[in-house]
Amino acid sequence: MKPGIVRPPHLADKFLQWFCAPHLLEDIQGDLHEEFAYQVKHIGVRRARWLYWWEVLGFMKPSYVKRKPSIYPTTYLYSPTMLQNYFKIAFRNLLKHRGYSFINIFGLATGMAVAMLIGLWIYDELSFNTYHKNYDRIAQVRSRTFGEHGIGINSSLQYPLGTELKTNYQNNFKHIVMASWEVDNVLSAGEKKLSRKGLFMEPNAPEMLTLKMLYGSREGLRDPHSILISASTSKALFGDADPINQFMKINNKIDVKVTGVYEDMPLNTQFNPIKFLSPFDLWVSENPWIKERAMTDWDNHFLKIYVEIKPGTDFEKISANIKEAELKNLANFKEQQKLKPEVFLHPMSDWHLHNYKRGLLDPEPMKMVRLIGIIGAFVLLLACINFMNLSTARSEKRAKEVGVRKSVGSMRGQLIGQFFSESYLVVIFAFLLSLLLVALSLPWFNDLSAKQMTMPYQHLSFWLISLGFIFITGLLAGSYPALYLSSFQPVKVLKGTLRVGRFASTPRKVLVVTQFTVSATLIICTIIVYRQIQFAQNRPVGYSRDGLLMMEMKSGDFYGKYDLLRSELKNTGVVNEMSQSMGKVTEVWSGNDGFEWKGKHPSADESFGTLVVTPEYGKTVGWQFVQGRDFSRAFTSDSAGMVINEAAVKYMGLKHPVGEHVSWKFQDLETKHFTILGVVKDMVMESPYEPINPTIFMIKGHGGVNWINIKINPNVSVSEALPKIEAVFKKLIPSAPFDYKFADQEYALKFATEVRFGKLAAFFAILAIFISCLGLFGLASFVAEQRTKEIGIRKVLGASVTNLWSLLSKDFVVLVIISCLISAPIAYYFMSDWIQKYTYRTEISWWIFVGTAILAVSITLLTVSFQSIKAALMNPVKSLKTE
């Protein structure tokens, strides 16, 4: 601009150019500029600027804004003819560059397939329990207690509480259903016997759960001796015969009639394991202790309560209304009253992802869903980055095309449309391929994630979401190439003076760094997850799981035959020892307080895990004694003895525990006195990630037993032992099916969540590396092609293959090293937070980060070396002729 010349306001001119019709702009703007120069001389610069703005705004009228129709209809940006032309050119470009097209399409297809699989997984998680039509109005009644050791959440409730809700709070609910706990039961029809989980529920339960009845009706439980069975149970017991009005037995003693068959509930509902329903009153009548004392006892927790609230009501308001339903009835239960129980509703929609842990809502399940969703988005982003990189890397090849198009009148918007059409064509092909990849991989992914997901092709919403998915992916992948390529100046391009410059590759380098940062982060996270699993799996468990068989005593036929069964099993020669216990070896089912001992601290009122066992329990599981001895049938006094674990010794503060006396007052019953016989090493019976709870083992007589434990002779194979063990059970307990569990398999289930997460993380890490390497391979081939002449000159001047390989590879290696340096603190931050939730946890070692960096660099070198060495081995004469 010449000194002394005053220009009109720049923003005002820009605004005028934006809204004014192009065919009027030159005349209007020229007149305004002349007027502005005149006003500057007569009224001054400041007032002239204000007047200029006023006059610009005065032209905001339809007659000045309306565009003049073009005489060239084919130049419309989105006319059918132009769109057809865009896609025709895009398709020709794909065929012309098949290698790059394959990398783009297959990479995007992989990323889109991962995003679809993760989308299905997230939908399955978020739609848990939606199988039940009224899931948004169904809830479980729970109780919150406040003790010295924190908040407790109870699902096991009292019979009188159910009566109280029905009597005084019925107007809040459509249904109130009391139910037993779900346990395995023996179902038998004729000679067929099988073990299935079931519930005894009140008659309105099928209606509340909206069971899909195949035979019979939801009113089937009105019959006091009825049973509703699932379709799979019906098939197993009755084959293809009509099961309605057929008679069968529960646990070989309860006669019931089949009044309905319902569709098996899907995996993504909490009621999926339930294979039969029977009347709650039938269960009560078969358990006399309920009628004798539990129906009026506010201190006896043994059942569950489910409710369905009325339409238009609110869970929080009803929870506030029933909050005192338990507390106000505890006048005669002082110990319970001290805990100040609060009754509340836990909605069914929250059962899966918003459950309670140690009295508080557990955020981990929802965190997992968000994390998997973020990983899926990043994997898709990696595939989009490949498209961006390869498109912009080939910019010089497309520059002349852009220059010619602009010189013959193409507007930038039309060029952007052309490049977007190429990206959308790639995305459409990738989407179709991704559907095939998902169809092929979904069965494997279902096994990996323990789900039953299917592609919802029949739903219109799926295709609408897919269109949105294609649009967003195409926009994400094509935006940068379209804007970048359409910005070239035609004069420079056609003169051959266009140079991309030393910083033109910077965006591509940033995108490569982003790709490998994500990949390296996923690798580090996967290693840490597997390290934590391995650390917990290698934890000393305090007993021997090898060859340890467990069987639940599901019916009364198991009882009263202990000595005979033990003798027969040992006589087979395949069993070393047998015992019985209250609960599985891998779980602690019972916890009690009320224990007193010498030197007890006043604040020591923590509950002890209490297990009732037979004297042979220690020999069966392989107890490892630290002090004292095991139970023995030779000493009748052992009936008043107990064995405790190391955690109990530490908690009780006993220096010499053997021989110490312990008294126990259970609820309002008489006080019992015990002597400590021995101390065993801590047994990992609950979570392998948490500290061991103080545990007491007592002889049968101080409680019931419900599991049989069998130690198989280590010199005999399991395949040889099982038929002989089964023969003994069929001989002595013919009414019960031979259902057993191995302790090592049950223990392995404790790691199921972490193992599944680890496998998913490994799967995504491998795919991320694959997609990143796919893009790196394409970039390496482009760089090798671009530098063909340079490589030829260097070879003529004496450069070796190693020198050329190093020259072409080092830039990529540097980018990957930068990625590893960035990923290390990111991964450490997130994984150190994740691992804190485990009390028993591994350390995050430095070698994980170094190992990941070495792995990433090695993969990079393997990826780029093929193209680098291929270029380095090319005949220099041929190389120099390429241009």
Side-chain angles (χ1 to χ4, degrees), residues 81 139 251 269 547 618 872:
T81 306
N251 294 330
T269 170

Side-chain angles (χ1 to χ4, degrees), residues 363-382:
E364 293 303 321
M366 200 63 205
K367 276 186 183 179
M368 175 76 75
V369 172
R370 292 194 189 101
L371 178 62
I372 297 296
I374 291 169
I375 290 173
F378 271 115
V379 172
L380 180 60
L381 178 63
L382 298 185

Side-chain angles (χ1 to χ4, degrees), residues 594-641:
F595 291 96
E596 300 289 337
W597 61 90
K598 184 179 179 181
K600 178 182 177 181
H601 194 276
S603 63
D605 60 350
E606 184 175 332
S607 176
F608 286 78
T610 47
L611 273 82
V612 175
V613 298
T614 54
E616 297 77 23
Y617 182 82
K619 293 177 182 176
T620 307
V621 302
W623 265 347
Q624 300 169 24
F625 276 85
V626 178
Q627 297 181 45
R629 63 174 177 85
D630 197 353
F631 297 114
S632 173
R633 289 179 178 270
F635 302 100
T636 55
S637 60
D638 279 8
S639 60

Side-chain angles (χ1 to χ4, degrees), residues 832-851:
S832 59
D833 179 64
W834 174 78
I835 210 167
Q836 288 301 316
K837 70 178 183 178
Y838 301 109
T839 306
Y840 191 79
R841 56 181 178 267
T842 186
E843 293 181 355
I844 301 178
S845 304
W846 62 268
W847 65 261
I848 296 174
F849 304 97
V850 175

Side-chain angles (χ1 to χ4, degrees), residues 720-864:
E720 181 185 347
L722 285 177
K724 293 183 179 181
I725 295 172
E726 183 178 10
V728 172
F729 275 92
K730 283 189 173 180
K731 174 185 173 183
L732 300 179
I733 314 173
S735 59
F738 182 60
D739 289 334
Y740 58 87
K741 301 176 187 293
F742 284 105
D744 55 352
Q745 293 175 351
E746 288 294 297
Y747 187 76
L749 292 177
K750 297 178 183 294
F751 303 93
T753 301
E754 285 73 17
V755 168
R756 191 174 299 122
F757 177 57
K759 287 180 178 178
L760 286 172
F763 171 62
F764 297 136
I766 291 168
L767 284 177
I769 282 288
F770 170 73
I771 292 170
S772 299
C773 289
L774 205 60
L776 207 60
F777 182 82
L779 277 180
S781 61
F782 169 76
V783 169
E785 179 186 342
Q786 192 180 40
R787 301 177 72 175
T788 300
K789 194 168 187 177
E790 176 192 345
I791 292 167
I793 293 171
R794 287 180 180 274
K795 285 198 76 173
V796 169
L797 295 175
S800 66
V801 173
T802 304
N803 295 142
L804 294 172
W805 171 75
S806 175
L807 174 72
L808 294 172
S809 303
K810 67 179 181 180
D811 287 344
F812 294 111
V813 171
V814 169
L815 294 178
V816 171
I817 291 173
I818 293 171
S819 301
C820 292
L821 292 174
I822 296 171
S823 67
I826 295 173
Y828 181 83
Y829 173 79
F830 285 107
M831 294 312 293
S832 59
D833 179 64
W834 174 78
I835 210 167
Q836 288 301 316
K837 70 178 183 178
Y838 301 109
T839 306
Y840 191 79
R841 56 181 178 267
T842 186
E843 293 181 355
I844 301 178
S845 304
W846 62 268
W847 65 261
I848 296 174
F849 304 97
V850 175
T852 300
I854 293 171
L855 178 64
V857 170
S858 301
I859 292 172
T860 302
L861 287 173
L862 285 172
T863 303
V864 302

